[in-house]
Amino acid sequence: MVNQIAVFLENKSGKTSRFLSVLRDAKINLLTVTIAESSDYGILRAITDDNEKAVKVLKENGYTVIRNDVLAVEVDGRAGALLDVVSLFDGTGINIEYFYSYTLDDNRAIILLKVDDVLKASELLDKNGVKQASI
Amino acid sequence: MTNYYDKKAETMSASEKENLQSEKLIKTVKLAYERVPIYREKMKKVGLTPADIKSIRDISKLPYTVKQDLRDSYPFGMFATDRKNIVRVHASSATTGKLTVVGYTKYDLDVWSEAVARAIVSAGGSQESIIHVAFGYGLFTGGLGLHYGAELLGANVVPASGGNTKRQLMLMKDFGTDILCCTPSYAVYLAEEMSKYGYSPEDFNLKAGIFGAEAWSEEMRKTIESKLKIKAYDIYGLSEITGPGVASECEYQEGMHVQDDYFYPEVVDKDSLEPIAYGEEGELVFTTLDKEGMPLIRYRTRDLASLNNTPCKCGRTSVRLNKITGRTDDMLIIRGVNVFPSQIESVLLNRAGVEPHYHINVDRVNNLDTIEIQVEMSEELMSDEAKVVESLRAKLAEDMASAIGISAKLTLVSPHSLARSEGKSNRITDYRKLK
């Protein structure tokens, strides 16, 4: 499992820059980031090199921010590697809400997965020998 | 030539009027004192008994009644008659969850219908008219008020109510409707939809419109009159007093004739509440002179307006009410519906955890009123999943719509992005006033 932060951002010009400058000023590095958008706002999800500090400075700067854990699996940098993992869930009733990723230096990738049944999914991955990452 | 519905009543001399008003006020005060505890208490508090009220000139001795009194006596505590004599209730928004309830006896409905019939005739209507009522039918007094008045007149009533504009246009065109009754903003909308469906005003037989339930400007009147090729008449009323028809315009459109043999108007200073002279603007106060079910004495309407007692060219001798210019409280009128910011606040509070930091934006887009409620995001509403946040937002919007009675756009905004205000009025931006 990997800890992520989720931040509410209004869908307006300049809002993302301001958010990023808060992190820069606190010398926090983003490992990966994704936004789920609606017409008026976005939910930005990110993994930083110091989530605890990120939450603190963001709150100090007036942001609505929460932290939660998502599944993280390591996959090889080859065609079909992600499919091998995701297809394990087929027919199990586990549903993927969203995923995003970042690549490691050695061409492998970390896939961050939000599923509706974390425990069941984690057990299933273990049983099938899928390596789960944690940061 | 001016037509009247009841020439004797509408053109009576000042002394006749004063005698009639005095007689009715004495009766009303006695009834209220004997049957409604809240009036008895209010009068006792200032050392008054019904015997102290000898003529209409004594009205300023009487204590005021406010909306909170109606709320405190929810639902039937202000009724001055046995509940079995009440044949109808209507209700409008109060400042929080509960509604303001009014009850009518058969006689009260007759008086109301008479007032509306006078209004329709003064707008050029007659027994020959086909009257299209596109005010909402229901707890709101607009629809049923115009309906019963038009029926009393003997006109042909089309109870269209709200919605389905295309069908409304078809009915008006096919029936040869000559009088349209609705909110002024809906009239403008109808005019625009008319051209959208390929109609022109010449396809219709419309002569006049009776428009009310929201404040409108002279500019809006000109727009309606030129687009629909009709004469647009203003009608005023509030459910507490009876509903539409308390006052309405004649063919000269120089203020609304108050049916002051039934509803006695005063204008008082909005701060000191002292009576002020004709022509000066202040808070409009009404006393019902002929109501059995729920008499109201010196009811503060919170509407700002002025009165005019000079003679009108139409020959009616009633006092005229000039256009309503605003409110002394924070009530908003949106698409004819009364909305209080406190209703919005209580919805936000009820959804656990939501801080009531909000801002209300009211606008008029394509001639229809819109309301947007901006709510600051909080951790309680937050999720890493956009669909969870979105469904919470939708639930809030749904709660809001059922609380205020009209649909509202609900927008989530950044925390601390809305101005922190001391007065509630700063939480509202009404762009309609700026247009």
Side-chain angles (χ1 to χ4, degrees):
Chain A
M1 302 277 252
V2 162
N3 190 252
Q4 69 172 6
I5 62 169
V7 186
F8 176 86
L9 287 181
E10 273 182 78
N11 195 357
K12 277 185 191 159
S13 175
K15 294 288 179 187
T16 308
S17 296
R18 191 180 160 253
F19 162 78
L20 291 173
S21 68
V22 169
L23 293 188
R24 181 204 54 201
D25 294 349
K27 300 200 162 41
I28 291 164
N29 187 30
L30 281 170
L31 303 181
T32 177
V33 62
T34 177
I35 289 188
E37 84 281 11
S38 83
S39 58
D40 297 324
Y41 59 87
I43 303 293
L44 178 143
R45 298 173 290 238
I47 298 185
T48 70
D49 60 359
D50 190 344
N51 282 354
E52 199 168 317
K53 189 174 167 195
V55 168
K56 186 172 167 283
V57 296
L58 287 168
K59 280 190 177 171
E60 281 167 4
N61 281 277
Y63 286 89
T64 301
V65 49
I66 58 168
R67 287 173 73 174
N68 65 337
D69 291 337
V70 286
L71 285 176
V73 295
E74 278 186 40
V75 296
D76 294 331
R78 61 168 173 84
L82 180 56
L83 175 65
D84 291 345
V85 174
V86 168
S87 61
L88 293 173
F89 299 145
D90 295 351
T92 63
I94 295 167
N95 186 38
I96 298 172
E97 303 294 349
Y98 60 82
F99 63 76
Y100 59 117
S101 66
Y102 63 101
T103 43
L104 302 171
D105 292 342
D106 57 3
N107 198 33
R108 285 177 308 130
I110 301 286
I111 309 294
L112 304 152
L113 277 168
K114 174 66 187 261
V115 293
D116 57 357
D117 190 338
V118 184
L119 281 178
K120 193 172 166 186
S122 185
E123 277 172 24
L124 191 71
L125 292 172
D126 283 345
K127 214 167 73 187
N128 286 277
V130 178
K131 196 177 171 199
Q132 290 185 59
S134 59
I135 301 173
Chain B
M1 221 213 61
T2 301
N3 287 316
Y4 308 98
Y5 178 73
D6 182 345
K7 189 172 183 189
K8 190 171 169 290
E10 294 176 74
T11 61
M12 72 171 70
S13 71
S15 64
E16 275 179 292
K17 178 74 63 73
E18 194 177 321
N19 287 341
L20 183 65
Q21 287 172 334
S22 297
E23 190 189 303
K24 286 181 172 182
L25 178 69
I26 291 164
K27 223 172 101 187
T28 298
V29 170
K30 194 164 171 286
L31 175 72
Y33 188 88
E34 284 170 4
R35 305 295 299 267
V36 188
I38 197 163
Y39 284 123
R40 200 158 48 238
E41 285 159 28
K42 276 176 187 271
M43 285 176 65
K44 278 186 174 162
K45 223 181 220 171
V46 293
L48 273 182
T49 68
D52 297 315
I53 305 304
K54 297 184 183 73
S55 88
I56 194 74
R57 288 164 197 259
D58 293 325
I59 197 164
S60 54
K61 294 179 185 169
L62 290 159
Y64 290 106
T65 308
V66 293
K67 204 172 187 101
Q68 186 63 36
D69 294 327
L70 273 68
R71 227 185 94 59
D72 291 344
S73 13
Y74 177 87
F76 301 149
M78 299 283 280
F79 288 5
T81 182
D82 286 343
R83 216 214 18 90
K84 69 175 194 303
N85 298 323
I86 298 289
V87 298
R88 170 107 62 86
V89 292
H90 280 286
S92 62
S93 301
T95 46
T96 49
K98 288 282 166 59
L99 296 170
T100 301
V101 177
V102 285
Y104 305 74
T105 63
K106 182 72 185 60
Y107 179 73
D108 294 336
L109 291 182
D110 290 346
V111 166
W112 182 14
S113 300
E114 157 99 20
V116 173
R118 290 182 193 173
I120 295 170
V121 171
S122 68
S126 71
Q127 202 178 346
E128 304 297 316
S129 300
I130 299 176
I131 300 181
H132 186 95
V133 181
F135 281 115
Y137 278 64
L139 288 173
F140 173 55
T141 50
L144 288 168
L146 264 301
H147 183 106
Y148 274 70
E151 275 192 2
L152 177 67
L153 177 62
N156 183 340
V157 191
V158 185
S161 197
N164 202 339
T165 302
K166 192 180 176 185
R167 190 180 65 187
Q168 302 230 15
L169 288 169
M170 182 187 76
L171 292 178
M172 282 194 282
K173 181 178 167 288
D174 294 350
F175 292 177
T177 301
D178 53 344
I179 295 183
L180 165 67
C181 308
C182 60
T183 59
S185 50
Y186 190 63
V188 179
Y189 182 71
L190 273 173
E192 308 218 319
E193 291 295 285
M194 221 179 237
S195 55
K196 194 174 130 190
Y197 291 117
Y199 297 130
S200 74
E202 287 72 28
D203 296 326
F204 294 78
N205 188 37
L206 284 172
K207 304 271 191 296
I210 299 174
F211 305 124
E214 62 189 21
W216 50 309
S217 60
E218 279 304 321
E219 288 70 40
M220 204 161 166
R221 188 205 303 270
K222 282 183 203 133
T223 304
I224 294 171
E225 292 193 332
S226 74
K227 284 193 171 174
L228 288 176
K229 305 234 184 324
I230 59 171
K231 251 183 120 162
Y233 295 91
D234 200 356
I235 190 167
Y236 176 83
L238 62 166
S239 63
E240 295 93 317
I241 298 305
T242 197
V246 171
S248 62
E249 286 179 328
C250 66
E251 71 256 43
Y252 296 99
Q253 299 174 316
E254 289 169 353
M256 295 175 275
H257 288 277
V258 179
Q259 305 303 341
D260 55 7
D261 49 340
Y262 294 131
F263 316 107
Y264 187 79
E266 295 171 87
V267 167
V268 300
D269 184 275
K270 66 181 168 64
D271 301 312
S272 72
L273 302 181
E274 291 299 322
I276 54 178
Y278 285 109
E280 281 180 42
E281 184 174 285
E283 182 174 346
L284 187 59
V285 170
F286 270 105
T287 300
T288 63
L289 292 177
D290 219 339
K291 232 174 157 196
E292 299 176 335
M294 204 174 113
L296 282 189
I297 293 171
R298 303 195 87 201
Y299 181 69
R300 290 176 55 192
T301 64
R302 300 285 188 171
D303 283 326
L304 287 171
S306 59
L307 292 171
N308 174 5
N309 69 338
T310 62
C312 180
K313 295 192 276 281
C314 74
R316 288 180 183 82
T317 51
S318 42
V319 163
R320 279 174 287 162
L321 170 63
N322 292 321
K323 264 199 182 301
I324 307 297
T325 57
R327 296 278 303 173
T328 65
D329 62 6
D330 55 5
M331 187 179 92
L332 294 162
I333 302 181
I334 297 158
R335 281 174 254 151
V337 176
N338 299 350
V339 176
F340 290 95
S342 50
Q343 292 175 297
I344 288 164
E345 202 163 294
S346 64
V347 169
L348 297 176
L349 281 167
N350 285 342
R351 280 266 159 214
V354 183
E355 281 179 46
H357 286 303
Y358 64 91
H359 192 87
I360 301 167
N361 291 314
V362 183
D363 204 350
R364 191 163 277 161
V365 179
N366 296 326
N367 297 299
L368 272 190
D369 293 346
T370 61
I371 175 167
E372 178 195 28
I373 300 156
Q374 295 177 307
V375 179
E376 282 190 3
M377 192 60 188
S378 65
E379 273 180 49
E380 290 77 9
L381 285 173
M382 186 60 183
S383 166
D384 60 314
E385 290 177 37
K387 72 169 185 195
V388 174
V389 176
E390 193 48 33
S391 86
L392 264 166
R393 192 200 61 78
K395 243 181 232 144
L396 262 178
E398 210 175 282
D399 288 357
M400 210 60 88
S402 77
I404 64 178
I406 50 164
S407 62
K409 181 173 192 257
L410 199 131
T411 312
L412 296 171
V413 299
S414 301
H416 311 286
S417 63
L418 300 176
R420 296 289 183 269
S421 59
E422 282 156 32
K424 273 186 183 173
S425 57
N426 295 342
R427 295 193 149 169
I428 302 165
T429 311
D430 194 340
Y431 293 98
R432 295 176 301 183
K433 286 177 190 162
L434 311 173
K435 285 178 180 170

